[in-house]
Amino acid sequence: MPVLLSPPEAAALLSVPGVRLGVAEAAIRKLNRKDLTLIELAPGARVAGVFTQNRFCAAPVQVCKANLSAGDIRALVINTGVANAGTGEPGLIAARATCEAVAGQLGIAALQVLPFSTGVILEPLPVERLVAGLPAAKAALKADGWFDAAHGIMTTDTVPKATSRQVLIGGKTVTLTGISKGAGMIKPNMATMLGFLATDADVAQPVLDALLKEVADLSFNSITVDGDTSTNDSYILIATGQAGNATIADTASADYAAFRAAVLDVSIWLAQAIVRDGEGATKFMTLQLEGGKDRDECRKVGYAIGHSPLVKTAFFASDPNLGRILAAIGYAGISDLDVGGVRVWLGSEGEEVLVAEQGGRAAAYREEDGARIMKAAEITVRVDLGRGRTAATMWTCDFSYDYVKINADYRS
């Protein structure tokens, strides 16, 4: 079960003018499951994307990048079950054939389609099944299809992940709705997770592109479940421009500030939902890194803690074996770190305990205090590096027995 994450209610997911979504069962890997999602965009929609930095990036990612650079995107298609990664030239042919099939269904050009895949790596995409499922996905297209789409993009997720917001911009009500998927192979480096966020705000393309990169860094690029960067990671931001607001083109404007805050809020929620639903997760941990010389070294420490199997298994067991955190800080890669200036706290539900300072255990720390905090479902680890004024926040989860079981049986 996910950590304090409930499935979305269909009625709570708001339609975004200019976006229609349809889901079908195409039997791409398994029977009787929603595994094909089609998203149709109205003419004039602007689209931005960030993608995995994995050198074995999937064929659909390569095609997405090429098509996105051409502009004027009118459709997205997402399949689950097979990632179409590690498939060489045949994989690229399959991804392009997917775009051509969608284009034929919607009466648009193949270059106006963005393909996405998620699932097992090193297996060929059964294009014929995907193509056969497209008419049903097209027939299912509807403005309020977000709930079905959130289900349609799931793989090992235990719950769909979706949320909506509304914000007033320039006197106009702007709607944002987003979905994401992912539970394992999660350490995005985008610029297996997928995220799609749509809004009816009118936003200039350069602003949309820059904002997405910034927001992805503060949300999806600040989470980790297991330290594995997927071959298929993608996060897409769509702006249909149908809200009637004045075009947001100035990043110094109040309209931009309000829009940025809303996009960041939704993105962080979607990213955290992935961690809360991490494969086998029982604990959700916030890592607050402060006192760094720059953000990069804060993130190095955060990832060292968040990736450590020893730290993660200790949290699963509610075992305050907190020297493991110090060890992770020490090997994070800060060569001139003065360990005497590092302080570490453990906190939950309004309580915070100083665990370590001056190179060792804090004089006032008691193991029973650490044990009590570690029993909570949500825990904060706060680290002050004592080197500067830069901070960063990251999120991770524990490792339970089920993580091994899920990944050992993933293909069966």
Side-chain angles (χ1 to χ4, degrees):
M1 293 295 292
V3 183
L4 302 179
L5 176 66
S6 300
E9 295 183 5
L13 300 178
L14 304 175
S15 299
V16 176
V19 180
R20 295 200 304 159
L21 310 94
V23 179
E25 295 181 2
I28 288 171
R29 183 170 178 82
K30 296 181 179 180
L31 297 174
N32 303 315
R33 66 171 294 170
K34 297 174 181 177
D35 57 5
L36 181 62
T37 300
L38 182 62
I39 303 177
E40 182 187 46
L41 308 181
R46 297 184 176 116
V47 181
V50 286
F51 303 93
T52 182
Q53 297 297 308
N54 191 311
R55 291 296 298 162
F56 261 105
C57 69
V61 171
Q62 297 176 54
V63 174
C64 267
K65 288 180 177 180
N67 290 1
L68 194 59
S69 66
D72 193 24
I73 301 302
R74 292 292 310 283
L76 290 71
V77 59
I78 309 112
N79 76 268
T80 66
V82 175
N84 194 11
T87 49
E89 185 62 26
L92 288 170
I93 293 171
R96 293 177 185 128
T98 298
C99 294
E100 291 170 1
V102 171
Q105 287 289 324
L106 300 181
I108 58 178
L111 283 174
Q112 294 178 294
V113 181
L114 300 182
F116 303 86
S117 298
T118 180
V120 179
I121 299 169
L122 211 62
E123 290 194 8
L125 180 68
V127 182
E128 68 286 350
R129 297 179 202 168
L130 190 157
V131 171
L134 283 175
K138 177 186 175 183
L141 286 170
K142 55 184 180 179
D144 60 349
W146 288 99
F147 183 76
D148 291 339
H151 284 82
I153 65 174
M154 292 169 59
T155 50
T156 59
D157 308 63
T158 65
V159 295
K161 302 163 181 68
T163 191
S164 291
R165 303 285 189 278
Q166 285 189 320
V167 61
L168 200 63
I169 296 178
K172 301 292 184 179
T173 298
V174 167
T175 300
L176 304 92
T177 296
I179 57 177
S180 64
K181 65 79 53 182
M185 197 179 279
I186 300 296
K187 188 233 172 184
N189 181 22
M190 292 177 284
T192 299
M193 67 121 270
L194 298 176
F196 305 94
L197 172 55
T199 177
D200 57 353
D202 189 342
V203 188
Q205 187 70 53
V207 171
L208 202 70
D209 292 335
L211 175 61
L212 183 60
K213 289 182 174 64
E214 178 191 3
V215 164
D217 198 42
L218 297 172
S219 56
F220 289 101
N221 285 346
S222 293
I223 64 173
T224 182
V225 169
D226 48 23
D228 278 347
T229 295
S230 166
T231 53
N232 294 60
D233 290 337
S234 305
Y235 188 38
I236 302 298
L237 177 57
I238 301 159
T240 67
Q242 298 194 10
N245 64 292
T247 303
I248 300 173
D250 181 4
T251 57
S253 67
D255 284 356
Y256 174 80
F259 180 65
R260 177 190 179 280
V263 171
L264 181 59
D265 182 36
V266 173
S267 299
I268 288 177
W269 190 97
L270 292 172
Q272 288 187 355
I274 288 174
V275 175
R276 291 181 184 278
D277 195 27
E279 291 170 341
T282 69
K283 306 283 178 69
F284 175 82
M285 288 108 76
T286 297
L287 308 177
Q288 294 181 347
L289 301 312
E290 54 193 56
K293 285 185 178 179
D294 54 44
R295 192 163 182 270
D296 181 61
E297 69 177 27
C298 287
R299 287 167 62 84
K300 281 183 179 179
V301 172
Y303 276 132
I305 297 170
H307 292 163
S308 167
L310 293 178
V311 171
K312 295 164 85 70
T313 51
F315 275 92
F316 169 63
S318 300
D319 175 20
N321 189 356
L322 301 176
R324 294 177 175 182
I325 295 177
L326 296 187
I329 296 170
Y331 67 61
I334 304 177
S335 59
D336 61 342
L337 179 67
D338 177 7
V339 297
V342 174
R343 293 183 294 170
V344 179
W345 292 264
L346 200 64
S348 180
E349 299 176 350
E351 179 183 12
E352 187 176 63
V353 174
L354 179 63
V355 174
E357 62 178 344
Q358 298 177 353
R361 183 174 178 145
Y365 175 71
R366 298 291 180 267
E367 186 158 316
E368 55 267 28
D369 295 331
R372 181 178 63 257
I373 290 174
M374 290 185 75
K375 289 179 181 177
E378 293 200 29
I379 302 166
T380 298
V381 177
R382 182 161 70 95
V383 178
D384 185 348
L385 297 174
R387 294 164 55 81
R389 297 183 178 181
T390 305
T393 301
M394 304 172 73
W395 302 278
T396 191
C397 59
D398 59 342
F399 267 167
S400 70
Y401 309 122
D402 285 342
Y403 179 85
V404 176
K405 292 178 182 177
I406 290 167
N407 282 285
D409 296 335
Y410 179 65
R411 298 204 305 163
S412 60

